Amino acid sequence: MTDHRIKHPVENQAAAPKVQRLNARLENERKYGQTLPRVAPKSWVLRWLLSWNPFGNPSQWDDMVIGVLDPPSCSVWVYDEEQQMTLWRKGFFGKGSLSRSEPTWLKREINRLRVEKRGGKELTAEEITAKRREIRKQFKQERANAIAAAEAEAELSFAANPESNPTITTVIPSAQTAGLQKKLQETIGAHESSLLPELTEDEIPKNMEHLQLSLQEAFFLAWVVGCLDLRSASGGPITLQAFWAQCFEVSSPFLPKRIDNPFLVHYVAYHHFRSLGWVVKSGIKFCVDFLLYKRGPVFHHAEFAVMIVPVYEDEADCASSPNPLPNSGPISWQWFTTVNRANAQVMKTLVLAHVIIPPSRDIEPSLYDSPEILSKFKVKEVLIRRFVASRMRD
């Protein structure tokens, strides 16, 4: 039987945000659903076998990317725009040099020029954040006033008739009913992109942004995934073995290869978590080494903050180290509590990743020249949670 009831306008308005969120999730799944870049197999037999799979022709899997090593910044740069998006959308590798995460400088610059061409002025991200905070501050003040008014009304009602339940007519606003996002859009004068004038080909600026990969990300892509073609600043190719050696030199210039090389210790932790399926990003913003995402920044916030704690099996290696590793010695309770509280405030669980460094006397010199040395390391995790008595009584 067909339902001919007319839905109330409020119901339609309440359902609209849910539909928008669902569409946004589906769009993110389409863009960022692939967890790693794919590389077409070189064997014709594997190509023929894979041609029968339901995921498409393997000849279209080739996600090879060209990266240029930049020793001064200890990173690898990817200049091609399409290749930048390949690495970001398929594993969230790297960071835009002129963006917070995803390389979007060109898109933001085009939008800014289109707004200026229309005769308006685009707000910067910092200005939008300031206005958002101002709106939220005003909302909190209004909610506090409403709560105080409701309490006063309840007291008057109870004083007038103590035997009945107090009558409260004051409405206490919530974040949903206040329409904070709508107020923000009205404040900044947001318009649909279709209303903005298009730029001519001569008006479109040149993309000044590149994707910046850390040495750990670059070596993982080159060695494990096999999709990164490394080049020098002059354009010459860099072999995997040569890149491995240069990572040691860039991390500790003018020093011989050691078992506690910073690149080696950090790559052990990075490889450990990446191989377990986590999306690993830099955690410098939260005073840690890495942030762990289940799927990626566009899906959820990072759940764990990783602090690398090097542990020497041979104390002589620690004593002879020319550049002691961070956190390799005793950690003060003041520093430890500061980091733990900073991450607890942003809903992240602190993880101490103890990287067990083997004794250098047991390592053959030839092992330093290849990733085989990684098998000598071990990683142990310890989760730290901040105890808050008022919240954990139950």
Side-chain angles (χ1 to χ4, degrees):
M1 184 176 180
T2 305
D3 187 0
H4 296 285
R5 292 178 298 175
I6 300 177
K7 292 185 177 181
H8 195 275
V10 176
E11 297 180 1
N12 294 332
Q13 294 176 2
K18 296 182 180 179
V19 175
Q20 293 176 357
R21 289 194 295 269
L22 176 60
N23 292 336
R25 285 198 296 268
L26 293 176
E27 181 65 15
N28 286 339
E29 290 287 349
R30 183 187 68 82
K31 286 184 178 180
Y32 310 101
Q34 187 174 323
T35 57
L36 287 174
R38 296 180 296 188
V39 180
K42 297 181 179 180
S43 172
W44 69 269
V45 177
L46 291 177
R47 284 177 176 269
W48 180 79
L49 291 174
L50 291 174
S51 64
W52 297 90
N53 78 84
F55 300 105
N57 191 342
S59 61
Q60 301 176 356
W61 287 6
D62 206 354
D63 291 329
M64 290 301 297
V65 174
I66 297 176
V68 179
L69 176 63
D70 184 65
S73 64
C74 298
S75 60
V76 174
W77 295 0
V78 178
Y79 292 98
D80 186 82
E81 296 177 28
E82 184 176 351
Q83 295 177 0
Q84 291 177 18
M85 299 313 299
T86 295
L87 291 183
W88 178 257
R89 293 183 176 180
K90 299 180 180 180
F92 302 97
F93 291 95
K95 171 195 172 298
S97 59
L98 300 176
S99 304
R100 294 183 177 181
S101 53
E102 182 177 358
T104 58
W105 178 85
L106 181 60
K107 180 180 178 181
R108 288 184 282 113
E109 186 67 9
I110 290 176
N111 288 338
R112 183 185 67 82
L113 294 175
R114 292 174 66 188
V115 171
E116 290 183 355
K117 188 175 182 179
R118 188 188 57 195
K121 178 182 179 297
E122 185 184 34
L123 297 177
T124 64
E126 290 76 12
E127 291 173 334
I128 294 176
T129 301
K131 290 186 177 296
R132 180 185 293 110
R133 290 175 178 172
E134 183 180 349
I135 292 175
R136 289 193 62 85
K137 182 179 179 180
Q138 182 181 359
F139 159 71
K140 291 179 180 179
Q141 184 62 43
E142 293 176 354
R143 184 174 60 180
N145 295 338
I147 293 175
E151 291 176 352
E153 187 178 3
E155 292 178 359
L156 292 175
S157 177
F158 182 76
N161 191 359
E163 297 181 358
S164 62
N165 294 329
T167 303
I168 302 175
T169 58
T170 303
V171 178
I172 300 176
S174 64
Q176 289 75 20
T177 59
L180 300 182
Q181 187 64 25
K182 183 179 179 180
K183 289 183 179 179
L184 177 64
Q185 296 296 332
E186 293 175 352
T187 302
I188 65 178
H191 297 276
E192 296 294 335
S193 58
S194 58
L195 301 178
L196 299 176
E198 296 294 337
L199 298 180
T200 63
E201 185 175 352
D202 295 336
E203 292 175 332
I204 297 178
K206 180 182 178 181
N207 192 3
M208 306 297 293
E209 185 174 35
H210 61 266
L211 185 74
Q212 186 170 327
L213 298 170
S214 67
L215 295 179
Q216 290 77 23
E217 291 176 316
F219 191 80
F220 183 86
L221 290 170
W223 181 46
V224 178
V225 183
C227 69
L228 184 61
D229 184 9
L230 291 159
R231 306 289 178 85
S232 64
S234 60
I238 301 177
T239 63
L240 186 63
Q241 185 175 4
F243 181 56
W244 174 261
Q246 290 188 33
C247 288
F248 274 78
E249 296 175 4
V250 169
S251 299
S252 296
F254 312 112
L255 293 177
K257 292 181 180 179
R258 289 180 52 90
I259 194 65
D260 58 353
N261 182 277
F263 162 76
L264 183 58
V265 174
H266 280 73
Y267 182 77
V268 168
Y270 181 89
H271 184 98
H272 172 74
F273 290 109
R274 262 290 181 179
S275 62
L276 294 176
W278 294 96
V279 173
V280 185
K281 303 297 293 182
S282 173
I284 189 173
K285 181 180 179 181
F286 301 102
C287 305
V288 292
D289 296 288
F290 297 127
L291 297 178
L292 301 184
Y293 296 83
K294 276 189 176 181
R295 301 190 61 189
V298 303
F299 295 101
H300 304 284
H301 291 289
E303 296 186 31
F304 300 97
V306 179
M307 177 189 293
I308 297 177
V309 181
V311 179
Y312 290 87
E313 289 189 354
D314 187 357
E315 291 297 332
D317 292 333
C318 181
S320 62
S321 178
N323 293 320
L325 295 172
N327 305 323
S328 58
I331 303 176
S332 68
W333 279 108
Q334 291 85 352
W335 167 246
F336 182 77
T337 305
T338 300
V339 175
N340 190 26
R341 180 167 183 171
N343 285 277
Q345 293 296 326
V346 291
M347 307 301 292
K348 290 175 177 48
T349 302
L350 182 63
V351 178
L352 301 182
H354 292 85
V355 178
I356 313 300
I357 302 176
S360 59
R361 63 175 180 271
D362 298 339
I363 304 298
E364 299 180 2
S366 60
L367 283 179
Y368 288 104
D369 299 329
S370 70
E372 293 181 11
I373 196 174
L374 298 175
S375 62
K376 304 295 183 180
F377 287 79
K378 298 178 182 178
V379 179
K380 295 183 178 180
E381 307 100 339
V382 177
L383 266 68
I384 306 296
R385 294 189 64 187
R386 180 168 171 257
F387 177 77
V388 182
S390 62
R391 299 180 183 177
M392 300 181 177
R393 288 185 299 234
D394 299 333

